[in-house]
């Protein structure tokens, strides 16, 4: 059954709430904007995503090690990294609606609208000319398409120029020239565009004033940079080597929306790979491919993932690409791969006065390494997995009528519960005792659930809705011959097998090694 993208997104959000994956933070006080809590199944899925990333990075690479740095860091860290001066978004307020927007996003949306007009003309012509339609020729020659396309390209170019030059007045002019209205009120009564720093700050208890001002880290990467020599010396790693970390990051996003896509408190999985200067582009290409392979190993269709080079490079990068995923609201950034040069280590060396150089025994020289970074938001990955896994299927119910089956087709190694153990009926003592026994035997090996409430069909549906890949059903034949049925969530096939084989069968089908083997 195909669901419209807007409905799909709405359904995913309510499914996450209804089935204990994600709740709005402090909901009894009406929630806190762009902050969310993970429920019992959400935390399991999120932990499995983190585990898959950690194992693919740290366990599968001899030259990558992990750390867990503190969220608070010395405030000069953020001066050196450039975040105090340059971690800004252009902010504009509408004076009538009092709503706050990111100027660049308003302009991007205006460009998307112009681009939609091009697509509409092309669709219309394709319908009119049928099989005879030559789309490339039409795009090159149709005067209306050319006019729209030129406007979209010029606007994009002006936006890129303003963003790289931090030209706030230029952005204000673009908003006026494009005649952009507030999406809420329709008003064009805008303030000037100004820079807004995205870091949250707080105060250290025992130091008053500016000296005691601390920031909640806006990226985990800096904890890795400042520990670079500690890690290299204590693990005796030789370049090239990497340091991986998973942890919370905080950003005071101006416009935070689309559920867990853009949050104010979120989690990052980052890896900094330290390389010899001059070799960084080779490793940049290597990590670009490796990271794409990690996503594809999950069974995500290749058409749902794509690379997008950055038009504007961040202050620290000499090359950058995003891996975008097709969310229900379109292709958006899921992960970033950046070649960060020696910007961070050099800045920290300069501001701290401590040498952050590596002695390369092969070259017999000291240098500051270059860095290639892979950075993915754990919550965004969670949303990508949910978007891909959430499926509504039409299946016959017990009376043979069409019914909707909502199923999360998560890769089995990531599923929150691997196996449910279900006695066919609940009021037969010998069946329930047998099923409980199997549950007690399996629960130490992988996350299991025992469920005897409601008819068996309803219990299957409950497990489908949380993505449980296998259900073991204990029936009357079990009591005779010691066999059970194993139901597959996706194919709905039921195999009969001896109880003694269940543990190994489910283990082998849900093992993380399956993904790691494909991830390259
Ligand atoms: N250290 C580099 C860095 O932080 P970034 O592109 O700003 O780069 C990396 O962030 C990843 O973190 C993004 O690709 C995205 O998955 C995630 N991310 C960034 N901001 C986020 C937010 N407000 N909410 C959720 N995830 C976010």
């Amino acid at each position: 059954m195909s669901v419209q993208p807007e409905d799909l997104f709405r359904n995913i959000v309510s499914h996450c709430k209804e089935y204990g994956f994600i709740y709005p933070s402090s909901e009894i006080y009406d929630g806190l904007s762009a902050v969310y809590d993970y429920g019992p199944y959400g935390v399991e899925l999120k932990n499995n995503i983190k585990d898959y990333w950690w194992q693919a990075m740290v366990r599968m690479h001899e030259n990558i090690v992990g750390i867990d740095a503190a969220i608070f860091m010395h405030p000069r860290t953020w001066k050196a990294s450039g975040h105090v001066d340059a971690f800004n978004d252009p902010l504009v307020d509408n004076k009538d609606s009092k709503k706050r927007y990111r100027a660049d996003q308003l302009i991007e949306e205006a460009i998307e609208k112009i681009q939609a007009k091009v697509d509409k003309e092309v669709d219309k012509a394709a319908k009119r000319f049928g099989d005879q339609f030559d789309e490339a020729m039409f795009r090159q020659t149709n005067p209306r398409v050319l006019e729209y396309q030129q406007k979209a390209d010029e606007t994009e170019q002006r936006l890129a120029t303003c963003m790289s030059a931090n030209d706030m007045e230029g952005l204000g002019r673009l908003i006026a020239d494009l005649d952009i209205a507030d999406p809420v009120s329709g008003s064009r009564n805008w303030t000037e565009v100004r820079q807004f720093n995205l870091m949250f700050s707080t105060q250290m208890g025992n130091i008053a004033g500016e000296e005691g001002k601390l920031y909640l880290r806006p990226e985990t990467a800096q904890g890795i940079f400042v520990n670079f020599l500690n890690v290299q010396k204590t693990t005796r790693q030789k370049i090239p080597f990497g340091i991986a970390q998973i942890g919370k990051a905080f950003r005071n996003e101006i416009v935070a929306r689309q559920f867990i896509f853009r949050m104010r408190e979120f989690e990052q999985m980052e890896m900094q790979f330290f390389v010899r200067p001059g070799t960084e582009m080779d490793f940049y290409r290597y990590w670009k491919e490796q990271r794409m392979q990690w996503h594809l190993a999950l069974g995500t269709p290749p058409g749902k993932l794509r690379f997008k080079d950055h038009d504007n490079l961040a202050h620290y990068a000499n090359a950058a690409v995003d891996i975008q995923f097709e969310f229900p609201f379109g292709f958006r950034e899921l992960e970033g791969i950046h070649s960060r040069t020696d910007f961070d280590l050099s800045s920290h060396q300069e501001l701290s006065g401590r040498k952050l150089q590596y002695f390369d025994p092969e070259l017999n020289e000291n240098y500051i390494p270059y860095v290639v970074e892979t950075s993915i938001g754990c919550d965004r990955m969670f949303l990508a997995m949910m978007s891909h896994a959430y499926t509504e299927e039409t299946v016959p119910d017990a009376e043979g009528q069409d019914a909707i089956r909502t199923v999360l087709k998560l890769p089995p190694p990531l599923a929150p519960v691997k196996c449910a153990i279900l006695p066919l009926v609940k009021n037969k003592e010998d069946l329930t005792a047998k099923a409980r026994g199997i549950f007690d035997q399996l629960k130490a090996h992988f996350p299991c659930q025992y469920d005897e409430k409601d008819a068996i069909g309803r219990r299957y549906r409950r497990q489908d809705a949380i993505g449980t890949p296998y259900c073991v059903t204990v029936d009357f034949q079990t009591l005779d011959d010691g066999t059970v049925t194993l139901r597959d969530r996706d194919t709905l096939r039921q195999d009969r097998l001896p109880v003694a084989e269940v543990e190994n069968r489910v283990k082998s089908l849900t093992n993380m090694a399956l993904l790691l083997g494909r991830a390259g």
Side-chain angles (χ1 to χ4, degrees):
M1 202 182 81
S2 86
V3 187
Q4 291 302 310
E6 325 74 81
D7 296 336
L8 174 66
F9 188 46
R10 208 171 330 110
N11 293 356
I12 290 170
V13 175
S14 51
H15 190 88
C16 281
K17 167 92 194 297
E18 190 181 342
Y19 285 93
F21 284 88
I22 296 175
Y23 313 122
S25 159
S26 22
E27 196 187 8
I28 57 167
Y29 295 102
D30 294 334
L32 183 64
S33 164
V35 185
Y36 290 91
D37 298 337
Y38 283 80
Y41 299 119
V43 67
E44 296 285 346
L45 173 56
K46 195 178 184 205
N47 283 342
N48 292 341
I49 291 172
K50 289 195 264 189
D51 192 30
Y52 173 42
W53 184 88
W54 188 263
Q55 294 201 36
M57 285 294 178
V58 177
R59 193 159 139 194
M60 301 297 282
H61 291 93
E62 282 174 62
N63 59 349
I64 299 182
V65 292
I67 63 163
D68 182 15
I71 287 172
F72 289 139
M73 299 183 71
H74 193 286
R76 266 191 284 165
T77 307
W78 305 110
K79 187 74 189 156
S81 68
H83 284 84
V84 171
D85 298 317
F87 195 54
N88 302 316
D89 275 341
L91 170 79
V92 65
D93 290 306
N94 188 279
K95 292 185 201 164
D96 296 325
S97 70
K98 310 280 181 245
K99 292 270 175 210
R100 192 155 261 206
Y101 296 95
R102 258 176 68 178
D104 56 329
Q105 282 180 353
L106 284 177
I107 297 163
E108 275 165 11
E109 278 160 18
I111 296 171
E112 275 173 26
K113 279 188 192 147
I114 305 171
Q115 203 64 54
K117 287 184 184 170
V118 173
D119 296 342
K120 200 170 162 195
E121 292 295 329
V122 173
D123 282 352
K124 263 189 346 204
K127 278 200 192 106
R128 200 165 54 233
F129 296 115
D131 290 347
Q132 310 295 317
F133 184 55
D134 181 345
E135 184 179 327
M137 178 65 82
F138 183 77
R139 282 182 185 271
Q140 280 164 22
T141 53
N142 181 274
R144 206 172 300 163
V145 165
L146 287 173
E147 190 192 324
Y148 290 143
Q149 195 58 58
Q150 188 184 355
K151 189 168 179 197
D153 293 346
E154 279 173 9
T155 311
E156 202 154 341
Q157 189 52 51
R158 277 178 68 187
L159 173 62
T161 310
C162 292
M163 290 300 283
S164 52
N166 282 328
D167 178 3
M168 298 299 112
E169 276 178 31
L171 290 175
R173 274 196 301 278
L174 252 175
I175 289 178
D177 292 351
L178 291 165
D179 200 28
I180 294 176
D182 180 337
V184 175
S185 65
S187 151
R188 289 171 174 76
N189 193 6
W190 298 107
T191 61
E192 285 179 353
V193 181
R194 59 204 184 279
Q195 294 281 28
F196 177 79
N197 192 287
L198 298 183
M199 281 198 294
F200 281 101
S201 63
T202 185
Q203 194 70 26
M204 190 94 142
N206 57 351
I207 311 170
E210 271 298 301
E211 285 287 285
K213 186 173 177 182
L214 290 186
Y215 295 101
L216 273 68
R217 65 180 178 198
E219 62 171 7
T220 55
Q222 297 305 322
I224 292 179
F225 288 122
V226 299
N227 277 300
F228 153 69
L229 268 193
N230 280 339
V231 174
Q232 191 272 320
K233 287 192 171 136
T234 48
T235 57
R236 291 175 295 115
Q237 286 285 348
K238 288 204 178 78
I239 267 175
F241 78 95
I243 305 177
Q245 178 171 213
I246 299 178
K248 290 268 186 174
F250 304 83
R251 295 185 189 176
N252 201 355
E253 300 283 357
I254 298 170
V255 184
R257 58 179 174 202
Q258 284 157 334
F259 194 36
I260 56 169
F261 180 81
R262 194 174 300 285
M263 301 158 88
R264 296 202 164 94
E265 173 181 342
F266 58 102
E267 225 167 338
Q268 286 188 317
M269 307 190 282
E270 296 200 300
M271 193 277 298
Q272 323 298 131
F273 204 68
F274 299 88
V275 305
R276 205 178 265 173
T279 63
E280 70 275 12
M281 291 318 285
D282 294 335
F283 287 105
Y284 173 70
R285 281 188 287 272
Y286 170 81
W287 280 110
K288 206 175 135 177
E289 295 310 321
Q290 279 279 304
R291 293 305 303 146
M292 182 57 98
Q293 197 48 44
W294 183 87
H295 290 280
L296 291 171
L298 289 164
T300 309
K304 284 199 156 278
L305 292 160
R306 70 181 186 195
F307 288 119
K308 174 88 168 66
D309 285 319
H310 282 209
D311 300 326
N312 299 308
L313 290 177
H315 58 276
Y316 49 72
N318 68 357
V321 66
D322 288 339
I323 294 179
Q324 293 190 330
F325 175 81
E326 191 178 19
F327 290 95
F329 39 83
F331 272 100
R332 296 284 188 283
E333 173 186 348
L334 172 58
E335 168 156 14
I337 295 119
H338 305 118
S339 170
R340 287 182 80 129
T341 67
D342 60 353
F343 173 87
D344 302 86
L345 289 180
S346 297
S347 304
H348 286 306
Q349 175 167 291
E350 199 181 317
L351 216 71
S352 67
R354 301 280 181 88
K355 281 236 173 308
L356 288 177
Q357 294 189 344
Y358 167 79
F359 176 72
D360 190 326
E362 283 172 33
L363 298 180
N364 200 25
E365 68 179 56
N366 284 301
Y367 55 77
I368 296 179
Y370 270 44
V371 172
V372 174
E373 166 188 78
T374 73
S375 173
I376 175 167
C378 185
D379 313 86
R380 226 172 254 193
M381 186 62 200
F382 187 108
L383 184 58
M385 279 289 94
M386 273 286 174
S387 311
H388 173 48
Y390 181 90
T391 315
E392 291 177 14
E393 288 178 349
T394 308
V395 289
D397 65 11
E399 282 82 44
Q401 303 292 317
D402 278 355
I404 304 291
R405 173 172 99 110
T406 303
V407 50
L408 284 187
K409 295 190 173 178
L410 292 166
L414 298 192
V417 176
K418 307 293 185 222
C419 182
I421 294 88
L422 316 171
L424 186 63
V425 287
K426 85 166 181 185
N427 43 9
K428 288 275 178 252
E429 175 71 38
D430 34 5
L431 278 192
T432 51
K434 181 78 186 162
R436 273 243 163 244
I438 297 172
F439 169 72
D440 286 338
Q441 175 208 325
L442 294 180
K443 69 183 181 190
H445 300 279
F446 34 77
C448 294
Q449 247 184 24
Y450 173 82
D451 189 6
E452 60 178 30
K453 192 167 174 286
D454 297 322
I456 190 75
R458 289 189 70 171
R459 281 181 276 161
Y460 286 149
R461 294 286 177 274
R462 272 206 294 270
Q463 296 300 330
D464 289 344
I466 60 167
T468 306
Y470 300 102
C471 288
V472 166
T473 310
V474 177
D475 55 19
F476 295 103
Q477 192 177 330
T478 313
L479 304 177
D480 289 341
D481 65 7
T483 62
V484 289
T485 62
L486 188 70
R487 172 188 183 264
D488 181 302
R489 175 198 67 196
D490 299 341
T491 61
L492 298 179
R493 240 184 76 165
Q494 305 218 17
D495 284 345
R496 240 195 140 90
L497 74 171
V499 171
E501 283 178 24
V502 172
E503 179 191 319
N504 280 343
R505 177 82 72 93
V506 176
K507 247 188 203 163
S508 68
L509 292 166
T510 59
N511 195 336
M512 192 65 86
L514 290 174
L515 297 183
L516 294 171
R518 291 201 293 262

